[in-house]
């Protein structure tokens, strides 16, 4: 430890206060996230001050307006050229405003908007004591089955806090793929994770399962973010900075002047490798890649279904965005080190997700394992390390998120006395009883399977093409094989719905309000449009596929 | 004293925390072990900050403390909710959703 280094700290602190330059923050370029977080804070105030009777309507209105306004801000930024020629790093190096960030933010906002419609749905359950009820507990703090729970239901309480919570989560997700230093990355991760832990715990039906899902998600999520944070500490020790650009310079070896006193830490490859690996673990946990996927099926099954749909779509978009930026901006200099690791993870994720999904008997668990397999397909595109890799992954994420939200919205419709009928045996013969709902669900399943004329096919084709051109031909072979395995269980559900006899005491299909209908209709429309005429959106993704550094 | 020793201590604390998360069965104790891991990260940041002679690490330590506090709020709420429904905070008892 050199004495001068410490002394410089003291002199910095002793400088007159007026010599510290004020940070410059480009508020206009950060508008999407700022609008959403502002609305979330207003939502908290609404909870505190607005009468209970009108709270639901105020919250839904506020949330929808905020998401539409934030999306308009993203479009305005993109139209202003911030996605291409004027791409820049804003907020003193903390946030990147570039093509991938704007494309993924737009995707997250649109997907969240249709997901919020399913949050607001209040016509699926029969009215309780004359009050319309949604998917969320009357009072989350009351013990399931207790008198206080009955009293809360009778009084017509609803958990309208879900709307501010979801807005906070969206804020974190908007910042996550745009984060341009490791501290912002970590804070954004926590900002979107903490509300999601709570949202998992607030189901109206099957509350014990919902609480169990929340505990599991919380403990494992906090564990993984602690690992991520230690990785950040290692990279900070390695490079002496948490800024992406500065770390990338040290990784490339373009910084030649290393203080001899710091020879042990600065540029020490052990720190780089351990730190990089631990950050990857944290991000791969969030995308649900094998072997960090153990939380996915339990959390997807236990969480309220609207939350599951939102989480499955938006979290994946945000986490893959952050993963892409980390690998393409910070660590391209060590791609020889991380590519073999991600190869292995992509292979076991694709195969593991597809094979385990075959044995599932619960529709939500089945979709959870399917999402694991899809994480593997997307990883194949990430590994490509070409501009096509970035744009194909972004296109895949956009296509996948609408299919997922639509599929989970259909799951909320099929109900019996105990709430949603998620056991697969109850879906037998659904196509005979409710042909429209079954047909819509079949479209989503075919898109998951990657059948032509659906968005799933276009996305998979783009990702596999990028991977093959990026020198990962073997991955494409594994990807096609596991797609075939996955197609088996998607088709099996379709066969179950259309070609088996309905049971006498089978579930009923609830008639939803226009809210859920909109969600499902948007899901089907996006699935078909991206499948039949994808060219415009592929071009959009490839224009946006350049990271700023 | 050589600041590298603090890095070794931090790594040791982190390992103890991680082992505790994997071994212990009470949700509260698991959570405390996660907090230990976060504090080990803080120690690492501060030690590196001193070695590099810049203030980034110390500032990050403050952010980590805020995040840890927020995590306590959310985490304890969820764990207390589980305990009130089941009269047990054991992570092994919560097994409604096994395959």
């Amino acid at each position: 430890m050199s004495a001068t280094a410490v002394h410089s700290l003291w002199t910095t602190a002793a400088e007159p206060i007026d010599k510290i330059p004020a940070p410059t923050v480009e508020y206009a370029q950060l508008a999407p996230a700022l609008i959403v977080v502002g609305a979330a804070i207003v939502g908290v105030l609404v909870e505190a001050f607005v009468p209970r009777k009108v709270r639901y309507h105020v919250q839904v209105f506020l949330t929808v307006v905020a998401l539409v306004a934030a999306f308009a801000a993203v479009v305005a930024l993109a139209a202003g050229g911030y996605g291409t020629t004027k791409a820049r790093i804003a907020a003193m190096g903390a946030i990147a405003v570039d093509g991938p960030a704007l494309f993924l933010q737009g995707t997250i906002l649109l997907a969240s908007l249709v997901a919020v419609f399913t949050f607001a749905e209040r016509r699926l359950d029969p009215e309780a004591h004359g009050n319309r009820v949604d998917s969320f507990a009357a009072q989350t703090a009351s013990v399931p089955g207790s008198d206080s729970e009955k009293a809360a239901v009778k009084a017509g309480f609803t958990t309208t806090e879900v709307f501010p919570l979801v807005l906070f989560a969206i804020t974190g997700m908007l910042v996550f793929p745009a984060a341009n230093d490791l501290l912002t990355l970590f804070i954004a991760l926590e900002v979107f994770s903490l509300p999601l832990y709570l949202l998992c715990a607030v189901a109206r039906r099957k509350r014990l399962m919902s609480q169990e899902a929340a505990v599991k998600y919380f403990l494992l999520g906090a564990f993984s973010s602690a690992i991520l944070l230690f990785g950040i500490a290692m990279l900070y020790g390695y490079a002496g900075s948490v800024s992406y650009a500065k770390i990338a310079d040290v990784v490339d070896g373009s910084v030649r002047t290393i203080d001899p006193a710091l020879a042990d830490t600065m540029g020490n490859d052990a720190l780089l490798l351990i730190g990089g690996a631990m950050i990857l673990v944290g991000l791969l946990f969030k995308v649900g890649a094998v072997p960090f996927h153990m939380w996915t099926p339990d959390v997807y099954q236990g969480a309220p279904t609207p939350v599951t749909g939102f989480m499955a779509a938006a979290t994946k978009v945000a986490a893959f965005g952050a993963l892409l930026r980390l690998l393409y901006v910070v660590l391209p200099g060590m791609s020889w080190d991380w590519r073999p690791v991600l190869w292995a993870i992509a292979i076991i994720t694709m195969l593991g997700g597809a094979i385990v999904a075959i044995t599932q008997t619960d529709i939500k668990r089945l979709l959870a394992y399917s999402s694991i397999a899809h994480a593997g397909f997307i990883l194949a595109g990430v590994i490509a390390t070409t501009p096509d890799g970035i744009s194909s992954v972004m296109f895949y994420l956009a296509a996948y998120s609408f299919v997922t939200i639509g599929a989970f919205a259909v799951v909320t419709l099929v109900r019996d006395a105990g709430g949603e009928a998620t056991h697969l045996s109850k879906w037998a013969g659904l196509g005979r009883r409710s042909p429209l709902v079954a047909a819509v669900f079949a479209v989503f399943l075919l898109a998951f399977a990657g059948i032509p004329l659906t968005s799933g096919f276009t996305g998979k084709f783009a990702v596999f093409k990028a991977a093959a051109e990026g020198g990962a031909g073997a991955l494409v072979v594994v990807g096609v094989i596991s797609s075939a395995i996955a197609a088996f269980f998607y088709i099996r559900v379709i066969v179950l719905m259309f070609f088996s006899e309905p049971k006498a005491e089978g579930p009923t299909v609830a008639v939803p309000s226009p809210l859920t209908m909109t969600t499902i209709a948007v899901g089907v429309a996006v699935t078909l449009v991206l499948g039949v005429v994808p060219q415009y959106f592929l071009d959009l993704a490839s224009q946006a596929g350049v990271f700023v550094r | 004293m050589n600041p590298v020793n603090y890095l070794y201590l931090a790594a040791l604390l982190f390992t103890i925390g991680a082992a505790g998360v994997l071994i212990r069965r009470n949700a509260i104790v698991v959570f405390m072990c996660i907090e230990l891991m976060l504090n080990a990260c803080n120690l690492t940041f501060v030690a590196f900050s001193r070695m590099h002679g810049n203030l980034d690490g110390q500032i990050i330590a403050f952010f980590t403390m805020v995040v840890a506090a927020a995590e306590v709020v959310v985490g304890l709420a969820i764990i207390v909710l589980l305990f009130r429904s089941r009269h047990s905070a054991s992570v092994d008892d919560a097994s409604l959703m096994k395959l």
Side-chain angles (χ1 to χ4, degrees):
Chain A
M1 182 66 234
S2 64
T4 53
V6 174
H7 189 66
S8 70
L9 286 187
W10 295 336
T11 50
T12 307
E15 288 284 306
I17 217 80
D18 58 0
K19 291 211 178 151
I20 296 175
T24 52
V25 179
E26 298 85 343
Y27 292 103
Q29 291 158 37
L30 308 180
L34 291 178
I35 291 170
V36 177
V37 77
I41 293 166
V42 174
V44 173
L45 295 176
V46 167
E47 282 302 314
F49 295 112
V50 172
R52 194 183 288 281
K53 276 201 184 308
V54 293
R55 228 181 262 167
Y56 162 83
H57 301 282
V58 175
Q59 292 284 25
V60 173
F61 178 74
L62 180 67
T63 309
V64 170
V65 167
L67 292 176
V68 171
F71 183 71
V74 168
V75 172
L77 284 175
Y82 285 99
T84 48
T85 48
K86 279 160 71 184
R88 67 186 60 205
I89 291 166
M92 306 288 284
I95 308 258
V97 183
D98 59 4
L102 290 175
F103 186 93
L104 294 173
Q105 285 176 341
T107 308
I108 292 168
L109 286 167
L110 280 186
S112 306
L113 183 64
V114 290
V116 161
F117 289 153
T118 61
F119 279 62
E121 174 64 55
R122 298 176 102 185
R123 295 214 190 137
L124 298 178
D125 262 333
E127 293 188 358
H129 303 283
N131 298 303
R132 285 190 175 161
V133 297
D134 51 19
S135 308
F136 305 105
Q139 192 175 34
T140 314
S142 59
V143 176
S146 68
D147 290 340
S148 68
E149 187 190 38
K150 292 192 189 89
V153 173
K154 196 169 182 194
F157 292 175
T158 49
T159 308
T160 42
E161 289 91 343
V162 293
F163 295 103
L165 281 174
V166 83
L167 284 176
F168 278 120
I170 294 166
T171 308
M173 289 169 181
L174 293 179
V175 176
F176 202 48
N180 200 51
D181 68 39
L182 292 170
L183 176 61
T184 314
L185 181 84
F186 175 67
I187 301 297
L189 175 89
E190 291 293 335
V191 169
F192 82 73
S193 296
L194 294 177
L196 282 181
Y197 302 147
L198 290 174
L199 285 171
C200 286
V202 297
R204 174 175 289 271
R205 309 291 194 116
K206 299 173 185 155
R207 292 190 57 199
L208 283 178
M209 262 167 70
S210 165
Q211 294 175 1
E212 185 182 316
V215 169
K216 285 177 177 169
Y217 192 21
F218 169 71
L219 289 177
L220 292 174
F223 185 49
S224 80
S225 52
I227 291 175
L228 178 109
L229 186 65
F230 201 70
I232 293 173
M234 293 285 121
L235 281 195
Y236 171 63
Y238 169 77
S241 167
V242 286
S243 145
Y244 279 9
K246 285 183 186 157
I247 298 173
D249 283 345
V250 183
V251 174
D252 291 346
S254 37
V255 176
R256 290 285 170 214
T257 52
I258 292 176
D259 187 344
L262 300 172
D264 281 348
T265 55
M266 191 137 176
N268 181 335
D269 278 350
L271 287 178
L272 171 64
L273 290 173
I274 298 173
M278 289 175 107
I279 293 178
L280 276 186
V281 169
L283 293 178
L284 289 172
F285 174 89
K286 284 292 161 199
V287 304
V290 180
F292 314 108
H293 69 292
M294 301 304 285
W295 60 279
T296 317
D298 282 0
V299 173
Y300 279 28
Q301 187 188 359
T305 309
V307 174
T308 310
F310 168 69
M311 189 163 71
T315 310
K316 231 177 204 111
V317 178
F320 267 111
L323 188 66
L324 276 176
R325 190 178 295 277
L326 186 82
L327 293 177
Y328 283 61
V329 174
V330 187
L331 304 175
M334 56 178 294
S335 64
W336 282 100
D337 293 298
W338 59 256
R339 280 192 82 184
V341 177
L342 284 189
W343 262 73
I345 289 177
I347 289 174
I348 55 174
T349 307
M350 287 189 280
L351 286 177
I355 291 171
V356 182
I358 293 175
T359 63
Q360 299 304 315
T361 54
D362 185 284
I363 190 76
K364 282 168 86 178
R365 281 185 94 84
L366 185 121
L367 291 177
Y369 279 104
S370 130
S371 92
I372 295 171
H374 282 278
F377 300 139
I378 303 173
L379 272 179
V382 171
I383 291 170
T385 52
T386 57
D388 272 357
I390 305 174
S391 58
S392 67
V393 166
M394 292 197 305
F395 180 85
Y396 198 116
L397 288 168
Y400 173 78
S401 50
F402 286 95
V403 181
T404 308
I405 291 175
F408 279 107
V410 174
V411 171
T412 62
L413 302 184
V414 182
R415 309 177 79 86
D416 59 13
E420 287 152 13
T422 54
H423 199 275
L424 265 185
S425 65
K426 295 186 179 161
W427 286 57
L430 194 73
R432 307 272 179 91
R433 206 177 295 146
S434 322
L436 183 62
V437 170
V440 165
F441 198 62
V443 169
F444 291 135
L445 288 174
L446 291 175
F448 279 133
I451 304 296
L453 298 184
T454 62
S455 61
F457 174 76
T458 326
K460 258 187 197 148
F461 185 80
V463 163
F464 287 160
K465 182 163 164 281
E469 285 169 359
L475 265 188
V476 176
V477 175
V478 176
V480 171
I481 292 173
S482 52
S483 296
I485 300 172
F488 168 73
F489 61 78
Y490 296 127
I491 304 291
R492 196 186 61 172
V493 176
I494 295 176
V495 169
L496 185 75
M497 286 193 302
F498 285 100
F499 300 107
S500 57
E501 285 301 317
K503 285 187 184 157
E505 68 285 3
T508 54
V509 172
V511 179
S513 69
L515 290 166
T516 303
M517 280 184 201
T518 312
T519 307
I520 296 172
V522 170
V524 172
V526 172
T527 305
L528 294 180
V529 168
L530 292 190
V532 179
V533 280
Q535 199 53 48
Y536 172 75
F537 300 95
L538 284 169
D539 290 345
L540 193 68
S542 64
Q543 277 168 22
V546 182
F547 285 108
V548 66
R549 221 189 107 178
Chain B
M1 192 171 150
N2 188 350
V4 173
N5 290 335
Y6 290 100
L7 295 181
Y8 294 137
L9 175 64
L12 185 68
L13 288 174
F14 187 85
T15 315
I16 294 172
V21 172
L22 300 174
I23 292 168
R24 299 302 295 265
R25 285 291 158 257
N26 186 305
I28 299 281
V29 180
V30 170
F31 186 38
M32 283 163 59
C33 290
I34 292 171
E35 294 292 310
L36 182 62
M37 292 167 74
L38 291 178
N39 283 321
C41 296
N42 267 350
L43 187 55
T44 317
F45 276 120
V46 174
F48 275 135
S49 178
R50 193 181 148 97
M51 291 167 77
H52 284 300
N54 65 30
L55 288 171
D56 291 10
Q58 299 190 24
I59 291 164
I60 295 171
F62 281 111
F63 276 94
T64 312
M65 281 186 248
V66 174
V67 164
E71 233 171 46
V72 168
V73 173
V74 169
L76 279 187
I78 293 173
I79 294 172
V80 167
L81 195 61
L82 183 87
F83 180 79
R84 277 163 37 113
S85 320
R86 294 168 182 269
H87 302 286
S88 147
S90 162
V91 289
D92 281 348
D93 289 352
S95 58
L96 280 174
M97 290 182 288
K98 274 199 180 148
L99 179 66

